């Protein structure tokens, strides 16, 4: 049985959102991830794609094989009879090395003063938290993570920057993220990882929604060394 | 071995197919032809599967030199295609001989054109099961980028085309300026004023229009006060930005968005929408999910039948495919006669 309330909302004639309570909640999100994989397996023929997000599960279906009413009724029945398999669904935890040099962490000073902390204290708080990945997107390899401790949860910039360097490790309120490719963005940047999280030749990210990430502080020398290794495909992300 | 050369790339020419489907959960944008209907039709005209890779271009088509025998069709916008400097028709299959040159004039109507190539389209290595290009994340197609002069691509040679003379599709004419929509997931969050303005006032496609999305000019819509959490995006979603301006999400759209979605354009009207001219007002009109589904299925039915029609004509008199070899033989004979005389 699913203990959360949910409903179905059409998103065009070929997709629907299954909408759960509006909150950033790990167990609700784990249910969404689990449902995504089970639905994908159970309705392989009808489902063309599926996109789990914070509190929604978007299901895209093949209009040549079904339609909104038929398919949402099928899914409703599936959900009513659904039992969450108590798998070890917490996922893996990846360790991401981060260099918090001021050159990279261009918002360190602002976030530290927001939290009434010294920069080392801020880094300690940021890197001692384990962040759960609620969803992947809007770009390949971008992980929407939470929850950033309240003390450092500074809101995003009023005016976004036109370009943020790939590998930038950032926060926006309670959300944490890493920019996999150069992109405009308004998140507060605390550091940079030397690890490449997206390449066109190998576009799938190493982690997925449901996994977690822990940041590990490294020196500038480590940063350069890992970058060199990574460029030759010789760096392996550590799974804790 | 490569056998077509891009002499001039035109504007924004990319390799596209039906898209990189099935990876939105990993943040991989779908991409694919922005006018899926024109892409499908182009492929059907040259006896391809709808999945084969075509060349998509905008405003000005590429100049292409062929080093292989094949068959092609050009669909979509009115791009004034010319084969060896002679005008050819849209939506019609043509035989290509080694040495032929295809080129275009700037579009007079529409925004996106497609060139299909017989025997399975442009041959590049698929990435995540798709050959479509997303230039923003440099994924797929030809090195993830727009084509440039001097690029050499590969197609499979093709010498025969069943029912060549029957391979003509009727041109789609724009009958009105109405774009149908289905109420979006956040429809109920919008004020009555915003909903009224969206349905009653004219919008135009702004200059900020690319494969990711088209921004629309028109009335500024009141936006819901509430912030929302990001959720999965759908092709044709009409997002309303914080400035009250609509953006229609298209082929290269990001996989997740956090702006409220007032509507989703009915899939059957998407190819009309993406080909809509600059400075022409368009109006949004609601359609039920049932009607949108029926209309979309009719469109698929037409495409499926189109292939059937040609297949049936295949065995009408004169029996057998039209062979390129027979043309060559005919040519040789004529030349011989001339030299004899």
């Amino acid at each position: 049985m699913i203990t959360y309330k949910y409903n179905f909302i059409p998103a065009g004639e070929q997709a629907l959102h299954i909408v759960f309570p509006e909150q950033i909640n790990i167990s609700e999100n784990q249910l969404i991830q689990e449902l995504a994989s089970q639905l994908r397996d159970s309705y392989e023929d009808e489902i063309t794609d599926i996109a789990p997000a914070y509190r929604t599960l978007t299901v895209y279906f093949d209009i040549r094989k079904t339609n909104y009413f038929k398919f949402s009724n099928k899914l409703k029945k599936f959900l009513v009879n659904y039992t969450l398999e108590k798998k070890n669904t917490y996922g893996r935890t990846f360790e991401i090395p981060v260099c918090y040099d001021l050159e990279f962490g261009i918002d360190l000073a602002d976030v530290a003063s927001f939290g009434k902390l010294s920069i080392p204290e801020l880094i300690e708080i940021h890197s001692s938290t384990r962040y759960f990945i609620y969803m992947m997107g809007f770009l390949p390899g971008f992980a929407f993570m939470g929850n950033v401790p309240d003390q450092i949860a500074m809101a995003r910039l009023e005016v976004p920057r036109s370009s943020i360097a790939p590998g930038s490790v950032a926060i926006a309120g309670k959300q944490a993220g890493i920019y996999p490719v150069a992109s405009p963005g308004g998140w507060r940047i605390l550091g940079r990882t030397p690890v490449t999280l997206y390449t066109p030749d190998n576009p799938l990210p190493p982690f997925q929604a449901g996994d977690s990430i822990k940041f590990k502080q490294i020196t500038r020398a480590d940063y350069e060394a890992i970058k060199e290794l990574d460029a030759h495909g010789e760096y392996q992300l550590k799974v804790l | 071995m490569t056998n077509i050369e891009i002499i001039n790339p035109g504007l924004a020419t990319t390799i596209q197919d039906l898209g990189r489907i099935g990876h939105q959960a990993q943040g991989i944008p779908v991409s694919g032809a922005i006018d899926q209907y024109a892409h499908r039709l182009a492929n059907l005209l040259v006896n391809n599967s709808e999945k084969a890779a075509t060349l998509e271009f905008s405003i000005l088509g590429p100049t292409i030199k062929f080093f292989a025998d094949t068959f092609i069709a050009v669909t979509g916008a009115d791009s004034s295609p010319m084969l060896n400097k002679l005008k050819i028709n849209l939506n019609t299959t043509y035989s290509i001989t080694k040495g032929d040159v295809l080129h275009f004039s700037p579009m007079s109507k529409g925004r996106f054109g497609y060139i299909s190539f017989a025997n399975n389209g442009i041959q590049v290595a698929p990435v995540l099961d798709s050959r479509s290009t997303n230039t923003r994340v440099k994924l797929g197609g030809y090195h993830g980028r727009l084509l440039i002069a001097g690029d050499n691509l590969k197609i499979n040679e093709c010498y025969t085309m069943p029912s060549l003379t029957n391979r003509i599709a009727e041109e789609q004419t724009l009958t009105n300026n109405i774009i149908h929509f289905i109420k979006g997931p956040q429809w109920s969050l919008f004020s009555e004023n915003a909903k009224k303005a969206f349905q009653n006032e004219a919008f135009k496609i702004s200059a900020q229009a690319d494969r990711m999305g088209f921004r629309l000019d028109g009335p500024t819509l009141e936006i819901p006060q509430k912030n929302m959490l990001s959720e999965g995006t759908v092709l044709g979603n009409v997002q309303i930005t914080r400035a009250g301006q609509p953006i229609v999400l298209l082929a290269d759209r990001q996989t997740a968005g956090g702006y409220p979605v007032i509507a989703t354009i009915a899939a059957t009207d998407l190819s009309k929408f993406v080909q809509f001219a600059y400075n022409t007002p368009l109006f949004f009109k609601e359609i039920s999910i049932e009607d949108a589904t029926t209309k979309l299925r009719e469109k698929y039915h037409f495409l499926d039948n189109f292939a059937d029609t040609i297949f049936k004509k295949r065995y009408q008199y004169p029996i057998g495919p039209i062979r390129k070899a027979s043309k060559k033989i005919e040519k040789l004979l004529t030349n011989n006669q001339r030299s004899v005389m």
Side-chain angles (χ1 to χ4, degrees), chain A residues 13 49 60 63-64 66 198, chain B residues 24 27 137-138 233 267 297 304:
Chain A
E13 70 286 80
D49 206 348
Y60 308 79
I63 199 80
R64 283 163 137 157
T66 187
Y198 169 80
Chain B
Q24 289 184 85
V137 293
K138 303 180 175 68
T233 60
R297 283 188 170 161
D304 293 344

Side-chain angles (χ1 to χ4, degrees), chain B residues 105-130:
Chain B
S105 294
M107 287 172 183
S108 55
K109 214 165 61 184
R111 292 164 180 261
F112 295 94
Y114 295 84
I115 312 164
S116 61
F117 305 85
N119 204 354
N120 289 322
I122 299 280
Q123 301 296 304
V124 284
V127 180
L128 302 177
D129 299 324
S130 168

Side-chain angles (χ1 to χ4, degrees), chain B residues 54-283:
Chain B
T54 58
L55 289 185
E56 178 187 282
F57 56 93
S58 186
I59 304 167
L60 177 66
T63 302
I64 298 172
K65 183 157 187 182
F66 291 85
F67 296 94
D69 287 359
T70 185
F71 296 85
I72 62 157
V74 179
T75 63
D78 188 354
S79 52
S80 312
M82 274 163 284
L83 190 57
N84 303 326
K85 297 188 178 161
L86 294 175
K87 193 178 177 302
I88 59 170
N89 293 324
L90 293 174
N91 305 322
T92 307
T93 307
Y94 287 92
S95 163
I96 296 286
T97 313
K98 253 177 227 174
D100 283 353
V101 175
L102 175 72
H103 83 281
F104 296 86
S105 294
M107 287 172 183
S108 55
K109 214 165 61 184
R111 292 164 180 261
F112 295 94
Y114 295 84
I115 312 164
S116 61
F117 305 85
N119 204 354
N120 289 322
I122 299 280
Q123 301 296 304
V124 284
V127 180
L128 302 177
D129 299 324
S130 168
R131 296 184 169 86
S132 61
T133 314
N134 183 310
T135 56
R136 189 158 178 250
V137 293
K138 303 180 175 68
L139 191 57
Y142 191 73
H143 302 297
R145 61 163 169 78
L146 302 180
L147 295 182
I148 57 173
D151 282 347
N152 290 289
L153 304 173
K154 187 185 175 335
I155 56 170
N156 294 322
E157 300 213 18
C158 184
Y159 300 100
T160 57
M161 178 58 58
S163 305
L164 178 62
T165 49
N166 294 317
R167 294 187 169 270
I168 300 169
E170 265 176 55
E171 200 187 334
Q172 280 200 304
T173 45
L174 204 67
T175 46
N176 57 42
N177 53 359
I178 290 167
I179 299 292
H180 291 96
F181 74 88
I182 293 158
K183 284 176 185 170
Q186 281 79 40
W187 172 265
S188 60
L189 294 184
F190 285 88
S191 67
E192 284 310 311
N193 282 341
K195 291 180 202 167
K196 262 188 204 150
F198 182 72
Q199 294 178 94
N200 298 329
E201 296 196 38
F203 290 89
K204 284 178 184 174
I205 295 168
S206 78
Q208 283 169 288
D210 60 21
R211 285 183 38 85
M212 255 189 96
F214 287 4
R215 270 178 194 261
L216 305 182
D217 287 334
T220 301
L221 302 182
E222 288 174 9
I223 51 159
Q225 283 313 303
K226 198 165 158 242
N227 273 329
M228 55 175 273
L229 292 169
S230 290
E231 56 189 38
T233 60
V234 172
L235 183 67
N237 270 170
V238 186
Q239 288 187 333
I240 308 298
T241 65
R242 290 215 174 92
Q245 192 185 26
I247 301 179
V248 180
L249 302 184
L250 297 169
D252 283 351
R253 70 191 178 281
Q254 54 191 53
T255 59
Y259 289 130
V261 173
I262 195 168
T264 306
I265 293 180
T268 184
D269 277 358
L270 272 173
S271 78
K272 180 177 174 182
F273 175 76
V274 299
Q275 299 287 7
F276 227 83
Y278 293 91
N279 269 319
T280 307
L282 63 87
F283 292 88

